[in-house]
Amino acid sequence: WAEIYHNIKYTTNGGTLAQDAPTQFTQSAGLATLPSITKEGVAFGGWTINGVKVTSIPAGTDGDVALVANWVLVKKVII
């Protein structure tokens, strides 16, 4: 029995991905926690795969995954 590995592609949309962000996951375990990402002036709105918001890559996922970062504008109140 050999473990099956799949690749993770990140589209950061101008964000900075954590240096330790994984580039692969195992099909048997998936990825329980997705990496952090930052971008100045906006709040992270979560990761999506094919337009669907995700918080993990479930065990049993068969094939490479493309995660897309989504951003939310932060309104600044000037007093």
Side-chain angles (χ1 to χ4, degrees), residues 19-60:
Q19 287 185 342
D20 62 349
T23 58
Q24 292 186 322
F25 65 94
T26 61
Q27 186 169 321
S28 64
L31 191 62
T33 304
L34 299 180
S36 61
I37 186 169
T38 58
K39 183 177 178 181
E40 187 155 342
V42 292
F44 181 54
W47 292 106
T48 57
I49 297 174
N50 297 324
V52 177
K53 191 169 184 174
V54 295
T55 57
S56 66
I57 299 172

Side-chain angles (χ1 to χ4, degrees), residues 1 7-8 19 50 68:
W1 180 80
N7 296 314
I8 303 170
Q19 287 185 342
N50 297 324
V68 178

